[in-house]
């Protein structure tokens, strides 16, 4: 589990690496897409957030293969945060914008590990909770895939704080996340034990060759 930096940003899966759904307002996002390289805008947003606020994402690797990631920031850094009917995010919380585990690694507990990594990072910075806008519909287009399913957040310990038929707002108290039993080795053993070697080989070519501690 590593923090997002400008170096590890390259390990986000496509199209997430090029997506600026959360980072820009709708007009600016469309302008970036029309210019042909929204990835530059995403990189600029990550750089600015790192400099002004600190770590804004976590990635998890399995056998040096990027397996999933989450991104988060104060609501003030996320132009899209006010567009939801269940906004605004609570004043004492950071906003978890995106959470994604690659399909070959799903079901192994990596989502919970990522959220716990966020909790460890944020509680040291005096933040009490993380909130998220969940999606109750299945992802059938590019925009919806930028929102994690509400069921995912409920499965990793979030509670609904404002109901909505499509976009409920959910919340996780950070101390609750830190009280979970550490199950990193168990999750990885379970995941690797359930995967066929060829599954890892299909994922590996998309990764960089850098070796991480």
């Amino acid at each position: 589990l590593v923090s997002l930096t400008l170096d590890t940003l390259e390990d986000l899966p496509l199209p997430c690496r090029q997506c600026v759904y959360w980072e820009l307002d709708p007009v600016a996002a469309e302008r970036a897409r029309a210019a042909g390289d929204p990835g530059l805008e995403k990189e600029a947003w990550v750089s600015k957030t790192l400099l002004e606020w600190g770590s804004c994402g976590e990635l998890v690797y399995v056998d040096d293969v990027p397996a999933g990631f989450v991104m988060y920031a104060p609501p003030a850094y996320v132009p899209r945060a006010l567009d939801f009917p269940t906004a605004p995010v609570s004043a004492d919380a950071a906003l978890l914008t995106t959470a994604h585990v690659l399909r070959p690694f799903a079901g192994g507990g990596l989502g919970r590990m990522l959220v716990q990594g966020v909790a460890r990072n944020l509680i040291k910075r005096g933040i009490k909770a993380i909130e998220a806008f969940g999606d109750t519909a299945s992802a059938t287009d590019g925009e919806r895939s930028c929102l994690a399913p509400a069921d995912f957040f409920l499965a990793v310990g979030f509670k609904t704080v404002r109901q909505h038929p499509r976009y409920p707002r959910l919340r996780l108290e950070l101390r609750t996340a830190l009280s979970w039993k550490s199950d990193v080795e168990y999750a990885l053993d379970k995941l690797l034990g359930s995967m066929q070697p060829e599954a890892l080989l299909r994922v590996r070519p998309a990764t960089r060759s850098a070796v991480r501690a």
Side-chain angles (χ1 to χ4, degrees), residues 1 36 51 66 83 93 97 105 113 120 147 162 190 196 200:
L1 192 68
L51 287 171
D83 287 354
T97 58
F105 303 96
M113 289 166 54
R120 289 195 193 99
L147 283 78
R162 188 172 178 187
K190 178 182 176 183
Q196 298 299 319
L200 277 174

Side-chain angles (χ1 to χ4, degrees), residues 117-142:
V118 174
R120 289 195 193 99
N121 187 303
L122 292 183
I123 203 166
K124 296 175 184 177
R125 295 149 75 176
I127 297 174
K128 296 182 178 180
I130 46 177
E131 294 188 358
F133 299 106
D135 191 355
T136 62
S138 299
T140 57
D141 57 51

Side-chain angles (χ1 to χ4, degrees), residues 8-151:
T8 57
L9 179 63
E10 297 301 324
D11 283 346
L12 295 190
L14 293 174
C16 301
R17 174 63 180 85
Q18 299 289 320
C19 177
V20 288
Y21 176 83
W22 291 101
E23 292 82 1
L24 301 177
D25 64 71
V27 174
E30 183 58 34
R31 188 182 304 122
R33 287 191 288 268
D37 193 359
L40 291 177
E41 295 290 344
K42 193 178 192 80
E43 184 175 332
W45 182 90
V46 170
S47 178
K48 179 177 184 289
T49 306
L50 286 170
L51 287 171
E52 296 181 357
W53 184 66
S55 180
C56 56
E58 302 287 335
L59 295 92
V60 63
Y61 295 82
V62 177
D63 194 22
D64 293 325
V65 175
F69 75 98
V70 294
M71 294 185 68
Y72 54 93
Y77 282 74
V78 185
R80 189 76 66 161
L82 291 176
D83 287 354
F84 289 86
T86 50
V89 173
S90 302
D92 63 348
L95 175 63
L96 196 159
T97 58
T98 306
H100 182 67
V101 175
L102 274 66
R103 189 177 299 276
F105 303 96
L110 298 186
R112 182 176 286 260
M113 289 166 54
L114 284 163
V115 171
Q116 192 171 41
V118 174
R120 289 195 193 99
N121 187 303
L122 292 183
I123 203 166
K124 296 175 184 177
R125 295 149 75 176
I127 297 174
K128 296 182 178 180
I130 46 177
E131 294 188 358
F133 299 106
D135 191 355
T136 62
S138 299
T140 57
D141 57 51
E143 181 170 301
R144 291 186 192 175
S145 66
C146 300
L147 283 78
D151 287 346

